[in-house]
Amino acid sequence: MDNLRKIEDLLQRLNRVCDWTFALGLHVRFASPTLSYLTYPKEWVDYYTEKELVFVDPTVRWAISNQGICDWEDLADGDQSDVFGAAARFGLRFGKVIALGELDRSLGFFAHPSRPITQEEIEQAQTLMQELHDVTRDALDMSEEELEKLRQIIVPA
């Protein structure tokens, strides 16, 4: 599967843009991504899942109804549940969200522990995300067995 190597390469390149962590949801359908890749700290993922923050996360709300790039700072006023405060306690202090695609959407959530993410970095991420979105487009028609191989890809540290 040549696409498998291409996906691994794109994820490695995305991970090397800077020393950030991220969560990608590719080809989101019925509120669930067909493929997802995470480099967020496990403690944050566990907390986020346990508290069901996806339902109150301003970045998710923005990504579902918009396209492009948005800074967490621009969404802070809509964070009534203090998702950003909780994220900061887990070392995720600065972030951006990317949403792309019309009906077939892919979402990326990027966080940095100590500084704002630059415009150049997030534009690189957007380009790589678009490539990932395009190269995984056939995932929508794959069997569960084929998808499982793609889901087993681990983003290297």
Side-chain angles (χ1 to χ4, degrees), residues 56-58 61 72-82 84:
V56 296
D57 187 338
R61 278 196 310 266
W72 287 6
E73 193 173 278
D74 297 331
L75 302 171
D77 287 345
D79 187 16
Q80 285 83 22
S81 298
D82 196 33
F84 295 138

Side-chain angles (χ1 to χ4, degrees), residues 47-97:
Y47 178 85
Y48 188 92
T49 302
E50 176 188 322
K51 301 293 183 185
E52 299 180 334
L53 295 180
V54 70
F55 298 111
V56 296
D57 187 338
T59 65
V60 173
R61 278 196 310 266
W62 184 89
I64 288 170
S65 57
N66 294 277
Q67 287 191 42
I69 298 169
C70 187
D71 194 293
W72 287 6
E73 193 173 278
D74 297 331
L75 302 171
D77 287 345
D79 187 16
Q80 285 83 22
S81 298
D82 196 33
V83 174
F84 295 138
R89 291 190 293 278
F90 286 88
L92 309 172
R93 291 180 179 82
F94 301 90
K96 299 215 184 241
V97 58

Side-chain angles (χ1 to χ4, degrees), residues 137-156:
R137 190 172 309 275
D138 64 344
L140 297 169
D141 300 319
M142 288 183 175
S143 69
E144 274 304 310
E145 184 178 304
E146 292 170 310
L147 282 171
E148 195 54 38
K149 289 178 185 173
L150 297 180
R151 289 178 179 139
Q152 294 304 314
I153 295 173
I154 296 173
V155 184

Side-chain angles (χ1 to χ4, degrees), residues 23-46:
L24 300 180
L26 302 175
H27 307 287
V28 177
R29 300 180 80 178
F30 308 112
S32 181
T34 303
L35 298 168
S36 61
Y37 300 101
L38 299 170
T39 64
Y40 280 155
K42 181 182 181 329
E43 298 78 18
W44 169 243
V45 173
D46 291 345

